[in-house]
Amino acid sequence: MSDHGVSSTLRQRSRRLLAGAALLALVTATPAQAQTPSPFRIGPSNPLGGEIVSVATGDLNGDGVVDVLATANSANELGIYLGRGDGTFNAKGAVGVDVGPISVAIGDVNRDGHRDAVVGYGGTSISVLLGRGDGTLSPAHDFGPIESSTAHVALADVDGDGCLDVIAGDSTIFHGSCNGTFTVGAKPFGHPTGMAPYAIADLNGDGIGDFVTASTKKNGSVAVVLSRPDGTWRPAKLYQVSAASWATLADVNRDGTPDIVVGGNYGPKAIGGVSVLLGQGGGVFHHRSDRTVGTALSAGAVTDLDGDGKPDVVVVGDNTDRQSASVWVLHGKGNGTLATPAKYGPIAPASGWAKVVTADLNGDTRPDILVTTRTAFTTLMNNTKR
């Protein structure tokens, strides 16, 4: 064979080898080489006329779509946002409330089938705004005063009479009458909790609501308060954790008993941490696991984001630049432990009051994430495959 023929044959073999190698590389490409879409899509910002310090979700106009109420602290208003069913909202204006609203809860306090709102303040009263069923609220009616701040409010039937009651501030009870009015009760226990939100559930199986709350006045502890059938309360039991500024309840190990997920900041650099305390039954808990998140956390929530039947933890906090916030997702392993945090964001502007709630905002059965920033709230729409 001539030199020209040999060269031609070698070139053909070389082209075939290169083509084969390219095909092999394409077939054996690892997932890391492909562009993986984010499981959450950050939606548009929804502004309010003042600094937002709390949000609550519920169907205010009876259309089956989640709506949002947000407290505007500096504007002394409660903003109303009606959901469109696609994760966006129609701002319906605001209702004036007392000075310095801090928290809001949604529930049917007068049993007329419409969602009502209860607002807590840095002051010593609560406001009730009855829902009309069309997305509007009646003017605020105040109850109180009490001895301490009503900063955080939660709704639950804690005395077993079938009416929603309010737990507010340093654990004062406002007993509901099922008609939208409340009677101020005594504090259930003397332990000072500070300005931490409450989580309520039946922890000991007696059919009456008990509650847990983080103690911001005793760094690194969570208080468990059990109710008695006669309407009194057992002394609070404290559990030490690495950090505590918020707490919530969920069955994270799927044994049918509520567990505590608590989070906050610890140390001089305000490192974020999340702890899980597993319920043992009877209102007793056992410390199971801790996770460091690495930022100043201000709020958290628990839900099954990816549909695997294992509750996940969502937390929010400011980034180190203090100009923006981010969301961290800690996927649950189903045994009371949590995976390494995955970060989503940034979301601007930052707010030391940042809050997070989860709800299905677009009707696709996936829980979405709603996060407050300084003067607005933003959604992270859940795109995870199920």
PDB file of all heavy atoms in Angstrom, residues 261-283:
ATOM      1  N   VAL A 261     -39.203  20.910  66.688  1.00  0.00           N
ATOM      2  CA  VAL A 261     -38.095  21.451  65.906  1.00  0.00           C
ATOM      3  C   VAL A 261     -37.897  22.885  66.382  1.00  0.00           C
ATOM      4  O   VAL A 261     -38.828  23.696  66.344  1.00  0.00           O
ATOM      5  CB  VAL A 261     -38.378  21.421  64.401  1.00  0.00           C
ATOM      6  CG1 VAL A 261     -37.212  22.037  63.622  1.00  0.00           C
ATOM      7  CG2 VAL A 261     -38.632  19.996  63.934  1.00  0.00           C
ATOM      8  N   VAL A 262     -36.702  23.201  66.850  1.00  0.00           N
ATOM      9  CA  VAL A 262     -36.423  24.512  67.435  1.00  0.00           C
ATOM     10  C   VAL A 262     -35.152  25.057  66.817  1.00  0.00           C
ATOM     11  O   VAL A 262     -34.213  24.310  66.512  1.00  0.00           O
ATOM     12  CB  VAL A 262     -36.304  24.405  68.976  1.00  0.00           C
ATOM     13  CG1 VAL A 262     -35.254  23.392  69.380  1.00  0.00           C
ATOM     14  CG2 VAL A 262     -36.027  25.752  69.613  1.00  0.00           C
ATOM     15  N   GLY A 263     -35.111  26.368  66.623  1.00  0.00           N
ATOM     16  CA  GLY A 263     -33.932  26.965  66.006  1.00  0.00           C
ATOM     17  C   GLY A 263     -33.676  28.363  66.510  1.00  0.00           C
ATOM     18  O   GLY A 263     -34.510  28.973  67.191  1.00  0.00           O
ATOM     19  N   GLY A 264     -32.503  28.879  66.161  1.00  0.00           N
ATOM     20  CA  GLY A 264     -32.117  30.219  66.572  1.00  0.00           C
ATOM     21  C   GLY A 264     -30.645  30.431  66.328  1.00  0.00           C
ATOM     22  O   GLY A 264     -30.047  29.817  65.431  1.00  0.00           O
ATOM     23  N   ASN A 265     -30.028  31.283  67.136  1.00  0.00           N
ATOM     24  CA  ASN A 265     -28.632  31.655  66.957  1.00  0.00           C
ATOM     25  C   ASN A 265     -27.880  31.449  68.266  1.00  0.00           C
ATOM     26  O   ASN A 265     -28.441  31.608  69.345  1.00  0.00           O
ATOM     27  CB  ASN A 265     -28.521  33.117  66.538  1.00  0.00           C
ATOM     28  CG  ASN A 265     -29.456  33.450  65.407  1.00  0.00           C
ATOM     29  OD1 ASN A 265     -29.470  32.772  64.394  1.00  0.00           O
ATOM     30  ND2 ASN A 265     -30.271  34.483  65.583  1.00  0.00           N
ATOM     31  N   TYR A 266     -26.591  31.115  68.163  1.00  0.00           N
ATOM     32  CA  TYR A 266     -25.790  30.944  69.362  1.00  0.00           C
ATOM     33  C   TYR A 266     -24.381  31.475  69.120  1.00  0.00           C
ATOM     34  O   TYR A 266     -23.915  31.559  67.979  1.00  0.00           O
ATOM     35  CB  TYR A 266     -25.728  29.476  69.789  1.00  0.00           C
ATOM     36  CG  TYR A 266     -25.092  28.538  68.786  1.00  0.00           C
ATOM     37  CD1 TYR A 266     -23.728  28.278  68.810  1.00  0.00           C
ATOM     38  CD2 TYR A 266     -25.861  27.913  67.806  1.00  0.00           C
ATOM     39  CE1 TYR A 266     -23.139  27.427  67.901  1.00  0.00           C
ATOM     40  CE2 TYR A 266     -25.289  27.058  66.887  1.00  0.00           C
ATOM     41  CZ  TYR A 266     -23.925  26.811  66.944  1.00  0.00           C
ATOM     42  OH  TYR A 266     -23.353  25.968  66.023  1.00  0.00           O
ATOM     43  N   GLY A 267     -23.723  31.847  70.213  1.00  0.00           N
ATOM     44  CA  GLY A 267     -22.350  32.332  70.128  1.00  0.00           C
ATOM     45  C   GLY A 267     -22.270  33.787  69.716  1.00  0.00           C
ATOM     46  O   GLY A 267     -23.238  34.382  69.237  1.00  0.00           O
ATOM     47  N   PRO A 268     -21.087  34.406  69.895  1.00  0.00           N
ATOM     48  CA  PRO A 268     -20.906  35.836  69.578  1.00  0.00           C
ATOM     49  C   PRO A 268     -21.066  36.160  68.094  1.00  0.00           C
ATOM     50  O   PRO A 268     -21.358  37.292  67.742  1.00  0.00           O
ATOM     51  CB  PRO A 268     -19.478  36.124  70.061  1.00  0.00           C
ATOM     52  CG  PRO A 268     -18.796  34.791  70.075  1.00  0.00           C
ATOM     53  CD  PRO A 268     -19.854  33.802  70.440  1.00  0.00           C
ATOM     54  N   LYS A 269     -20.901  35.162  67.219  1.00  0.00           N
ATOM     55  CA  LYS A 269     -21.056  35.400  65.781  1.00  0.00           C
ATOM     56  C   LYS A 269     -22.459  35.066  65.274  1.00  0.00           C
ATOM     57  O   LYS A 269     -22.700  35.076  64.067  1.00  0.00           O
ATOM     58  CB  LYS A 269     -20.014  34.581  65.011  1.00  0.00           C
ATOM     59  CG  LYS A 269     -18.580  35.000  65.286  1.00  0.00           C
ATOM     60  CD  LYS A 269     -17.603  34.216  64.417  1.00  0.00           C
ATOM     61  CE  LYS A 269     -16.180  34.664  64.665  1.00  0.00           C
ATOM     62  NZ  LYS A 269     -15.201  33.911  63.824  1.00  0.00           N
ATOM     63  N   ALA A 270     -23.384  34.781  66.186  1.00  0.00           N
ATOM     64  CA  ALA A 270     -24.782  34.500  65.846  1.00  0.00           C
ATOM     65  C   ALA A 270     -24.892  33.394  64.797  1.00  0.00           C
ATOM     66  O   ALA A 270     -25.518  33.558  63.753  1.00  0.00           O
ATOM     67  CB  ALA A 270     -25.485  35.766  65.366  1.00  0.00           C
ATOM     68  N   ILE A 271     -24.265  32.260  65.070  1.00  0.00           N
ATOM     69  CA  ILE A 271     -24.346  31.110  64.179  1.00  0.00           C
ATOM     70  C   ILE A 271     -25.732  30.476  64.304  1.00  0.00           C
ATOM     71  O   ILE A 271     -26.254  30.281  65.397  1.00  0.00           O
ATOM     72  CB  ILE A 271     -23.269  30.074  64.518  1.00  0.00           C
ATOM     73  CG1 ILE A 271     -21.880  30.710  64.411  1.00  0.00           C
ATOM     74  CG2 ILE A 271     -23.368  28.859  63.595  1.00  0.00           C
ATOM     75  CD1 ILE A 271     -21.541  31.232  63.043  1.00  0.00           C
ATOM     76  N   GLY A 272     -26.328  30.156  63.169  1.00  0.00           N
ATOM     77  CA  GLY A 272     -27.651  29.562  63.182  1.00  0.00           C
ATOM     78  C   GLY A 272     -27.604  28.079  63.487  1.00  0.00           C
ATOM     79  O   GLY A 272     -26.694  27.360  63.059  1.00  0.00           O
ATOM     80  N   GLY A 273     -28.601  27.602  64.244  1.00  0.00           N
ATOM     81  CA  GLY A 273     -28.671  26.190  64.571  1.00  0.00           C
ATOM     82  C   GLY A 273     -30.102  25.706  64.626  1.00  0.00           C
ATOM     83  O   GLY A 273     -31.012  26.459  64.944  1.00  0.00           O
ATOM     84  N   VAL A 274     -30.311  24.424  64.289  1.00  0.00           N
ATOM     85  CA  VAL A 274     -31.618  23.781  64.354  1.00  0.00           C
ATOM     86  C   VAL A 274     -31.481  22.494  65.158  1.00  0.00           C
ATOM     87  O   VAL A 274     -30.561  21.707  64.926  1.00  0.00           O
ATOM     88  CB  VAL A 274     -32.165  23.462  62.949  1.00  0.00           C
ATOM     89  CG1 VAL A 274     -33.480  22.697  63.038  1.00  0.00           C
ATOM     90  CG2 VAL A 274     -32.358  24.743  62.143  1.00  0.00           C
ATOM     91  N   SER A 275     -32.386  22.276  66.109  1.00  0.00           N
ATOM     92  CA  SER A 275     -32.374  21.064  66.932  1.00  0.00           C
ATOM     93  C   SER A 275     -33.702  20.334  66.797  1.00  0.00           C
ATOM     94  O   SER A 275     -34.743  20.955  66.581  1.00  0.00           O
ATOM     95  CB  SER A 275     -32.124  21.405  68.404  1.00  0.00           C
ATOM     96  OG  SER A 275     -30.865  22.016  68.593  1.00  0.00           O
ATOM     97  N   VAL A 276     -33.658  19.017  66.939  1.00  0.00           N
ATOM     98  CA  VAL A 276     -34.846  18.174  66.914  1.00  0.00           C
ATOM     99  C   VAL A 276     -34.951  17.442  68.243  1.00  0.00           C
ATOM    100  O   VAL A 276     -33.985  16.815  68.690  1.00  0.00           O
ATOM    101  CB  VAL A 276     -34.788  17.153  65.760  1.00  0.00           C
ATOM    102  CG1 VAL A 276     -35.987  16.204  65.826  1.00  0.00           C
ATOM    103  CG2 VAL A 276     -34.758  17.873  64.416  1.00  0.00           C
ATOM    104  N   LEU A 277     -36.120  17.544  68.885  1.00  0.00           N
ATOM    105  CA  LEU A 277     -36.413  16.812  70.111  1.00  0.00           C
ATOM    106  C   LEU A 277     -37.569  15.872  69.813  1.00  0.00           C
ATOM    107  O   LEU A 277     -38.663  16.312  69.440  1.00  0.00           O
ATOM    108  CB  LEU A 277     -36.787  17.753  71.258  1.00  0.00           C
ATOM    109  CG  LEU A 277     -35.671  18.598  71.890  1.00  0.00           C
ATOM    110  CD1 LEU A 277     -35.284  19.761  70.997  1.00  0.00           C
ATOM    111  CD2 LEU A 277     -36.109  19.119  73.250  1.00  0.00           C
ATOM    112  N   LEU A 278     -37.343  14.577  69.957  1.00  0.00           N
ATOM    113  CA  LEU A 278     -38.348  13.583  69.604  1.00  0.00           C
ATOM    114  C   LEU A 278     -39.317  13.356  70.754  1.00  0.00           C
ATOM    115  O   LEU A 278     -38.918  13.185  71.908  1.00  0.00           O
ATOM    116  CB  LEU A 278     -37.669  12.258  69.233  1.00  0.00           C
ATOM    117  CG  LEU A 278     -36.782  12.286  67.985  1.00  0.00           C
ATOM    118  CD1 LEU A 278     -36.227  10.899  67.701  1.00  0.00           C
ATOM    119  CD2 LEU A 278     -37.554  12.810  66.777  1.00  0.00           C
ATOM    120  N   GLY A 279     -40.616  13.354  70.416  1.00  0.00           N
ATOM    121  CA  GLY A 279     -41.634  13.104  71.409  1.00  0.00           C
ATOM    122  C   GLY A 279     -41.643  11.646  71.847  1.00  0.00           C
ATOM    123  O   GLY A 279     -41.586  10.735  71.011  1.00  0.00           O
ATOM    124  N   GLN A 280     -41.714  11.425  73.156  1.00  0.00           N
ATOM    125  CA  GLN A 280     -41.724  10.078  73.718  1.00  0.00           C
ATOM    126  C   GLN A 280     -43.123   9.657  74.171  1.00  0.00           C
ATOM    127  O   GLN A 280     -43.321   8.556  74.656  1.00  0.00           O
ATOM    128  CB  GLN A 280     -40.774  10.002  74.911  1.00  0.00           C
ATOM    129  CG  GLN A 280     -39.372  10.489  74.619  1.00  0.00           C
ATOM    130  CD  GLN A 280     -38.680   9.681  73.541  1.00  0.00           C
ATOM    131  OE1 GLN A 280     -38.482   8.476  73.692  1.00  0.00           O
ATOM    132  NE2 GLN A 280     -38.314  10.324  72.433  1.00  0.00           N
ATOM    133  N   GLY A 281     -44.106  10.578  73.969  1.00  0.00           N
ATOM    134  CA  GLY A 281     -45.446  10.337  74.479  1.00  0.00           C
ATOM    135  C   GLY A 281     -45.619  10.966  75.848  1.00  0.00           C
ATOM    136  O   GLY A 281     -44.644  11.121  76.606  1.00  0.00           O
ATOM    137  N   GLY A 282     -46.858  11.365  76.187  1.00  0.00           N
ATOM    138  CA  GLY A 282     -47.109  11.968  77.487  1.00  0.00           C
ATOM    139  C   GLY A 282     -46.538  13.349  77.651  1.00  0.00           C
ATOM    140  O   GLY A 282     -46.435  13.850  78.776  1.00  0.00           O
ATOM    141  N   GLY A 283     -46.122  14.010  76.542  1.00  0.00           N
ATOM    142  CA  GLY A 283     -45.545  15.343  76.631  1.00  0.00           C
ATOM    143  C   GLY A 283     -44.083  15.360  77.020  1.00  0.00           C
ATOM    144  O   GLY A 283     -43.547  16.402  77.403  1.00  0.00           O
TER     145      GLY A 283
END
